[in-house]
Amino acid sequence: MNFDLSTEQSMLQKMIREFSDEVVAPGAIERDKNKTFPVEVFKQLSDMGIMGLPFPEEYGGAGADTISFAIVTEELSRTCASTGITYSAHISLGGAPLHLFGTEKQKEKYLTPICTGESFGAFGLTEPNAGSDAGGTETTASLENGEFVINGSKVFITNASFAKHLALTAITGRNGDHKEISAIIVPTDAQGFTIKSEYEKMGLNASNTTELILENVRVPEENLLGVRGNGFKQFLTTLDGGRIGIAAMAVGIAQGALDKAVQYAKERKQFGKTLSQFQATQFKLADMEVKVQLARTFVYKAAWLKDQGRPFGKEAAIAKYYASEMAMEVCDEAIQIHGGYGYMKEYEVERYLRDAKLLEIGEGTSEVQKMVIARHIL
């Protein structure tokens, strides 16, 4: 096995690491405080050709691989997880289903603006009673005179306020108790489409989290994404890739918290010595480093399998499960090393902990990931 990054991946990592330190990090505290979406950050990422990173060049992408996507997500999350989740959702949830299941015409029309940064990527799956549970879907799309008429709502949707269009799941037919669920591309400026972003969140305050309300929204039948009735299967496939993004986010957050803890331990003096000279602190830092390294390695493994066209669902679930719990543990230890200062916003580690919590919830809880893993091995 070769655990080295390729030349291109190493160059990308260096570029995004410097960008994250110089551009993303300086405003992270204020963006979190004021709930300011990082528009200017993403304008620069767009100019750098990062917004369509893993998608084909003919649609404005860069034709890079999944490992590269994981690298960018990790490095952005290392300094600002709100920026990291915005990027991860843009690629893995917004662009990926269009790339995987869209027609050539749909890709040219809808994937291209995502790749060029003209539109953010978003997708509408979660409802008040439906996320991982397809049976709870209540949004409907009735076909009338060559148009889908959509009614329903979605919750906890990332990036929708800044998206020109998104794919969403809806019931397109019924057979007894069985619901036929399909995916449909919907412009966000369609009549009857309302987007609300009024959530008061624990963390990731600079990211855009919305509620979607659809009241008799009409879109042409040609906006059906993929095969009718396969919508939920398509999004389960999409979520496999999304788990790599979430796991990469977790690694980035944990690495950022570890970096802050190491810096503080070297500078803070107690009883005439720096904290870093105490064995108890060294043991904590060593445990944190081990956890981060293990999680990163498994993220790369899942991404590599995906790039090889091999099954990667189990590995993506393992990466997401382990990395999300690891991030919480590392952030908690970072606060412990900081002591009372870790409780103060200016030292940032409390923000890392708040941001990390979503990763144990988003895209399925740890229990859901365990179910996915178990299904692969049974």
Side-chain angles (χ1 to χ4, degrees):
M1 295 183 191
N2 182 2
F3 287 92
D4 291 329
L5 296 177
S6 68
T7 301
E8 292 80 7
Q9 291 164 348
S10 296
M11 291 174 60
L12 176 68
Q13 185 183 58
K14 181 177 184 294
M15 179 180 70
I16 297 299
R17 182 169 294 168
E18 291 174 354
F19 176 84
S20 196
D21 287 335
E22 297 169 9
V23 178
V24 182
I29 293 176
E30 284 302 308
R31 288 194 301 271
D32 175 70
K33 178 182 178 180
N34 299 323
K35 301 178 175 60
T36 305
F37 189 77
V39 174
E40 293 303 318
V41 169
F42 282 99
K43 284 183 179 178
Q44 294 187 54
L45 285 171
S46 180
D47 292 340
M48 294 162 63
I50 301 298
M51 296 300 277
L53 188 69
F55 301 122
E57 295 179 8
E58 58 260 40
Y59 307 115
D65 56 16
T66 310
I67 293 176
S68 296
F69 159 67
I71 288 170
V72 174
T73 301
E74 177 188 336
E75 290 299 331
L76 293 176
S77 301
R78 181 177 56 83
T79 55
C80 175
S82 290
T83 303
I85 195 170
T86 300
Y87 181 75
S88 180
H90 169 81
I91 295 290
S92 64
L93 302 182
L98 295 170
H99 177 236
L100 290 170
F101 309 112
T103 64
E104 190 63 30
K105 182 179 178 180
Q106 287 173 338
K107 291 177 185 178
E108 290 177 358
K109 185 175 182 178
Y110 299 112
L111 181 58
T112 299
I114 286 176
C115 291
T116 60
E118 297 172 58
S119 173
F120 279 82
F123 94 139
L125 173 64
T126 306
E127 298 184 13
N129 296 311
S132 300
D133 175 20
T137 300
E138 296 176 355
T139 298
T140 61
S142 303
L143 194 57
E144 298 178 6
N145 300 320
E147 291 183 320
F148 284 112
V149 182
I150 308 171
N151 285 280
S153 63
K154 301 288 181 177
V155 295
F156 310 144
I157 307 305
T158 304
N159 294 346
S161 296
F162 299 89
K164 293 184 178 181
H165 54 267
L166 53 81
L168 56 80
T169 50
I171 301 169
T172 50
R174 295 178 185 268
N175 183 6
D177 293 333
H178 174 73
K179 298 176 180 178
E180 176 192 81
I181 297 175
S182 303
I184 302 169
I185 303 168
V186 183
T188 54
D189 63 356
Q191 186 174 353
F193 197 149
T194 303
I195 300 174
K196 294 183 177 181
S197 54
E198 301 170 352
Y199 291 117
E200 290 292 330
K201 299 180 292 185
M202 174 180 174
L204 298 168
N205 287 318
S207 67
N208 177 243
T209 309
T210 67
E211 179 183 3
L212 313 181
I213 301 171
L214 299 98
E215 300 173 301
N216 293 320
V217 174
R218 291 180 173 269
V219 299
E221 186 178 1
E222 66 184 29
N223 280 31
L224 178 71
L225 180 63
V227 178
R228 179 167 173 164
N230 280 2
F232 203 80
K233 291 179 181 179
Q234 293 167 7
F235 279 114
L236 287 179
T237 300
T238 301
L239 290 179
D240 279 341
R243 290 184 182 110
I244 295 174
I246 293 294
M249 264 191 72
V251 173
I253 292 171
Q255 184 67 62
L258 174 57
D259 291 345
K260 295 289 185 185
V262 169
Q263 179 183 357
Y264 185 82
K266 289 180 177 179
E267 296 172 353
R268 176 68 167 167
K269 287 190 175 181
Q270 291 280 279
F271 307 104
K273 296 192 293 186
T274 63
L275 292 183
S276 62
Q277 292 176 286
F278 289 94
Q279 191 177 66
T281 305
Q282 294 172 3
F283 283 179
K284 283 182 180 291
L285 292 172
D287 284 340
M288 294 159 75
E289 174 72 8
V290 168
K291 291 174 181 178
V292 172
Q293 291 287 358
L294 286 172
R296 180 181 293 116
T297 299
F298 220 89
V299 170
Y300 286 177
K301 179 179 180 179
W304 179 82
L305 287 171
K306 184 174 185 291
D307 289 333
Q308 298 300 309
R310 293 166 59 179
F312 67 96
K314 180 179 72 173
E315 287 74 15
I318 292 172
K320 196 271 181 188
Y321 164 55
Y322 177 73
S324 59
E325 294 202 342
M326 173 279 301
M328 285 294 291
E329 293 167 2
V330 169
C331 291
D332 185 50
E333 288 286 38
I335 291 175
Q336 290 297 114
I337 290 171
H338 279 74
Y341 289 107
Y343 207 66
M344 304 299 154
K345 290 185 182 294
E346 66 182 290
Y347 284 81
E348 300 193 80
V349 285
E350 63 82 33
R351 186 185 83 240
Y352 283 100
L353 182 69
R354 288 188 287 111
D355 291 347
K357 184 58 190 175
L358 180 75
L359 307 185
E360 292 187 311
I361 302 169
E363 295 209 31
T365 63
S366 296
E367 286 71 24
V368 172
Q369 302 312 313
K370 290 177 185 178
M371 289 172 60
V372 173
I373 296 164
R375 287 172 184 163
H376 279 283
I377 63 178
L378 291 174

